[in-house]
């Protein structure tokens, strides 16, 4: 069963500066993660439910199964990516693991 | 630029009953939405940041561009899907529009 890491970045102080680092630095770190099937980043434009625009970005990393995801998180490249996440993720950002239907 | 509707379902009282309706009734409604490129549902297993497991499920619906997404939301099938969402989504569920990188 395919699984994915789902990352929700809350609103940064400077969205464009965040994106600049995110795309130039964080993206390549993600791409180096072993076992990654594919990943996708997206920037939120609006809250379709007219509620608060809680998050600035979503990123998803797909893996073949849970052991692959866990191995990726424990790898050197996974740790480097997590370190960068720790530096850039605004307070309230979230990270979840999900099983795809 | 590809866009997507991102739906985050908060925790229902009965997760298995929710999933039963979600997969048998809501899924087919989503699939009937015009202009849909593809969609993916997933069930959260854990909060990888050790925070609260705020959400039960994530669903994403991809469209070719923003006009296609807006047209889909305004269509009869889109409205039927939104009606069902309104009936099943637990309080605190969220719905966003995002542009894919």
């Amino acid at each position: 069963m395919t699984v994915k890491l789902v990352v929700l970045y809350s609103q940064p102080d400077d969205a464009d500066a965040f994106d600049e680092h995110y795309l130039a630095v964080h993206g390549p770190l993600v791409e180096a993660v072993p076992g990654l099937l594919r990943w996708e980043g997206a920037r939120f434009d609006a809250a379709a439910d007219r509620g608060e625009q809680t998050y600035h970005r979503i990123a998803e990393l797909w893996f073949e199964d849970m052991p692959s995801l866990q191995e990726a998180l424990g790898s050197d490249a996974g740790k480097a990516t997590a370190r960068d996440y720790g530096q850039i993720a605004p307070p309230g950002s979230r990270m979840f693991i999900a099983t795809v239907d």
Side-chain angles (χ1 to χ4, degrees), chain A:
Chain A
M1 286 197 296
T2 308
V3 299
K4 59 182 176 181
L5 189 69
V6 180
V7 184
L8 296 165
Y9 291 96
S10 63
Q11 296 292 348
D13 291 332
D14 183 335
D16 290 330
F18 180 92
D19 279 18
E20 202 179 309
H21 176 97
Y22 183 78
L23 298 170
V25 177
H26 197 73
L29 288 171
V30 171
E31 271 156 33
V33 170
L36 187 68
L37 292 179
R38 64 190 178 87
W39 80 287
E40 182 179 277
R43 182 171 167 155
F44 288 111
D45 299 296
D49 55 12
R50 300 180 189 185
E52 188 196 348
Q53 204 178 319
T54 317
Y55 303 110
H56 170 56
R57 279 191 158 272
I58 180 171
E60 290 172 294
L61 287 68
W62 283 267
F63 296 88
E64 198 171 322
D65 51 27
M66 208 60 86
S68 305
L69 189 156
Q70 298 294 357
E71 203 175 310
L73 293 181
S75 70
D76 287 347
K79 286 175 187 167
T81 308
R83 257 196 311 275
D84 193 60
Y85 168 84
Q87 293 194 331
I88 65 171
S93 297
R94 299 300 314 273
M95 197 187 288
F96 300 101
I97 292 168
T99 298
V100 177
D101 291 332

